[in-house]
Amino acid sequence: MENEDPFANALTQLASITDILSVDPEYYEMLKSPIREITVSLPLKLSNGNAVTFTGYRVQHNNARGPYKGGIRYHPGVTLSEVKALSMWMTWKSALIDIPFGGAKGGVSVDPKKLTMDELERLTRKYIDALEEEIGPEVDIPAPDLNTNPQTMAWIMNEYSRLKGHNVPAVVTGKPIELGGSEGRNAATGRGVAICVREAVQAFLKKDMKSVTVAVQGFGNVGSNTVKTLMEMGAKLVAISDVVGGAKAKSPSGTFEQSYERLIDESNKAGSISKISGVEEISNEEVLESDVDVLVPAALENQIIEANANKIKARLIVEAANGPTTPMADKILGRMEVNVIPDILANSGGVLVSYFEWVQNLNRDHWTEEIVNDRLESKMKKAFYDVLAYSQKNNVDVRRAALVLAVGRVVSAMKLSGWH
Ligand code: NAD
């Protein structure tokens, strides 16, 4: 029976490289467990007078290479196990893209769509009040993730600054530009994903971007910015989905011919990309199983699992979401010779530009979008080709190659600082 527990899957991935990378047992034990797991109770009086208590988490996995770093997720399915897995993946991601951060993650088990803006603001402030001693610009720096956005980050910055009695922009990244956010941060994760698609298409499919067909699952921050950049690169978008359902392009060319701006506008008005005009409504499963060159899962964990892995027709999967493929599905995809660019590489553009934002805040500086995008492009390409070279030289799949490089760097930092 397939295990869909995210932390169990993160541990299976870690175990999968021990035959290539020899890690001393005491270091391996330290990597298996996050350094700190915090659970907080968040009582909230709703505007209708009812009181509800939500549960929030912050898990700090490892800080050998620098302050803890990782997003905050608002979702009814948030569990401690999920946050632990995401915190471990953040440690690997920061190491792989080679920035001086460790890994952490936070989450609140809540359906934000059922709360008003005022309730969401008060919940966010309560969460930060509860974590005041655990976060900070040199300690642990949150960022956006599922269902959180620049507005949420603005509340976090304001609440933390209020508690400290002075303005502390570097405590959180992904802020609005007006409050010290970085140019290019909002689009960074999707942009980085698209760069990985472009390089992987060249390396594995030997195709030109203009002839490549793509399906994207998820049309939020990461999915939509991936779509935008892929369209700019000339790729053919064939299917897109969100939580409501999937949309297959119905134009004569079989691809979305609307501009990106129109896709966003229409899906906002219709409530879902699946409800816009000129598309065929399909299921989320059908989007994943689309007959395309490239599949980009950009929604949640555990989307490509044992039950559907052998129905995937794409020859290349680029993981924009964290943990979208289970280890069992990974094995099946390997046998089918589907190339998978793993999450810790593909979506690392987000934490990379978060690092740029933190550097700008600490220096009271503001870089142009051009500088940010140039630095994003060169760091993403370096990480991509370092992983590819390791994979080809040692004949291991790309996921394990990425993990070996990342875990190796973390262990090296732990050893040099004498961590036991
Ligand atoms: P978001 O809340 O902005 O968007 C999520 C999207 O997924 C929405 O379109 C939603 O409708 C859709 N969705 C939710 N459940 C779905 C389902 N069952 N089937 C299909 N679509 C579904 O979140 P986001 O920030 O875009 O994050 C998406 C993924 O990317 C997550 O796994 C997140 O951890 C990862 N990620 C995000 C960032 C970032 O900078 N925001 C960075 C790295 C990784």
Side-chain angles (χ1 to χ4, degrees):
M1 187 54 198
E2 182 165 37
N3 195 338
E4 291 194 9
D5 175 64
F7 191 60
N9 288 344
L11 289 176
T12 303
Q13 288 171 350
L14 180 60
S16 78
I17 58 161
T18 47
D19 58 331
I20 319 172
L21 181 76
S22 127
V23 181
D24 299 339
E26 64 266 37
Y27 287 98
Y28 189 68
E29 282 308 308
M30 284 190 263
L31 291 176
K32 271 168 54 185
S33 314
I35 289 175
R36 194 171 294 125
E37 297 170 22
I38 306 151
T39 302
V40 292
S41 238
L42 306 169
L44 187 77
K45 190 90 172 269
L46 302 180
S47 9
N48 64 10
N50 292 344
V52 190
T53 299
F54 296 100
T55 305
Y57 307 96
R58 185 76 184 167
V59 176
Q60 298 170 331
H61 175 256
N62 187 289
N63 64 351
R65 289 175 45 92
Y68 299 107
K69 183 86 186 83
I72 294 172
R73 171 175 291 199
Y74 288 174
H75 193 273
V78 164
T79 60
L80 182 59
S81 163
E82 181 186 58
V83 181
K84 282 168 71 175
L86 289 160
S87 74
M88 183 185 273
W89 289 327
M90 282 307 300
T91 302
W92 311 149
K93 201 178 298 182
S94 300
L96 187 64
I97 198 70
D98 206 8
I99 50 177
F101 282 147
K105 201 80 182 190
V108 179
S109 179
V110 58
D111 185 349
K113 292 185 187 76
K114 293 196 176 140
L115 297 190
T116 63
M117 278 292 268
D118 171 63
E119 289 162 346
L120 265 181
E121 174 175 349
R122 286 189 289 115
L123 179 66
T124 303
R125 289 183 186 276
K126 286 228 157 169
Y127 178 67
I128 295 308
D129 293 351
L131 292 176
E132 180 196 349
E133 300 302 326
E134 322 291 345
I135 61 172
E138 306 293 342
V139 184
D140 182 354
I141 306 131
D145 193 71
L146 267 177
N147 295 322
T148 57
N149 54 35
Q151 176 61 75
T152 328
M153 303 305 116
W155 294 328
I156 291 178
M157 173 187 157
N158 180 267
E159 186 61 17
Y160 187 82
S161 300
R162 195 185 63 75
L163 291 167
K164 296 296 167 197
H166 58 101
N167 201 327
V168 194
V171 68
V172 65
T173 58
K175 298 177 292 290
I177 306 271
E178 298 87 330
L179 292 176
S182 178
E183 304 289 342
R185 170 61 185 92
N186 208 36
T189 310
R191 201 177 176 85
V193 171
I195 291 170
C196 281
V197 171
R198 186 190 63 205
E199 301 305 317
V201 159
Q202 203 182 359
F204 296 109
L205 305 185
K206 318 275 181 225
K207 276 189 138 183
D208 183 81
M209 275 303 273
K210 297 208 165 37
S211 64
V212 162
T213 53
V214 190
V216 179
Q217 182 203 34
F219 200 53
N221 174 282
V222 180
S224 67
N225 282 297
T226 302
V227 165
K228 179 173 192 270
T229 318
L230 286 174
M231 281 179 153
E232 286 163 8
M233 291 173 175
K236 296 177 188 303
L237 267 298
V238 168
I240 308 175
S241 66
D242 58 29
V243 68
V244 178
K248 187 174 170 194
K250 232 170 46 178
S251 68
S253 65
T255 66
F256 288 95
E257 287 177 349
Q258 301 91 323
S259 66
Y260 167 76
E261 288 70 24
R262 236 187 91 193
L263 281 182
I264 291 284
D265 189 47
E266 286 192 21
S267 76
N268 284 342
K269 281 189 188 135
S272 166
I273 189 77
S274 61
K275 306 282 180 205
I276 70 172
S277 57
V279 302
E280 179 189 338
E281 202 170 335
I282 58 174
S283 68
N284 239 308
E285 291 71 34
E286 287 174 296
V287 171
L288 292 174
E289 295 159 19
S290 298
D291 191 4
V292 285
D293 297 312
V294 186
L295 173 64
V296 180
L300 301 168
E301 298 93 69
N302 296 336
Q303 298 302 299
I304 305 171
I305 56 176
E306 188 185 13
N308 66 357
N310 59 9
K311 297 183 193 150
I312 301 289
K313 298 186 195 71
R315 305 317 303 153
L316 175 66
I317 297 176
V318 179
E319 294 184 335
N322 286 306
T325 314
T326 61
M328 291 272 258
D330 225 13
K331 285 208 172 98
I332 298 170
L333 295 171
R335 287 199 292 271
M336 291 161 62
E337 295 184 10
V338 176
N339 290 293
V340 180
I341 307 302
D343 44 10
I344 60 168
L345 174 59
N347 69 35
S348 60
V351 74
L352 175 62
V353 177
S354 272
Y355 164 66
F356 295 160
E357 180 172 328
W358 180 74
V359 169
Q360 291 171 73
N361 292 157
L362 293 178
N363 291 302
R364 296 289 190 262
D365 200 356
H366 192 78
W367 305 352
T368 63
E369 190 174 356
E370 198 186 356
I371 290 180
V372 171
N373 286 345
D374 282 354
R375 291 181 182 176
L376 168 72
E377 168 98 19
S378 70
K379 285 284 256 183
M380 289 297 305
K381 275 171 78 171
K382 172 151 186 0
F384 181 89
Y385 284 104
D386 283 353
V387 171
L388 190 67
Y390 187 94
S391 155
Q392 288 170 344
K393 182 161 173 244
N394 299 284
N395 198 23
V396 292
D397 60 79
V398 182
R399 185 186 307 282
R400 291 204 301 157
L403 259 182
V404 169
L405 292 181
V407 176
R409 286 174 192 168
V410 177
V411 171
S412 168
M414 289 163 76
K415 277 191 171 168
L416 284 167
S417 7
W419 261 46
H420 68 87

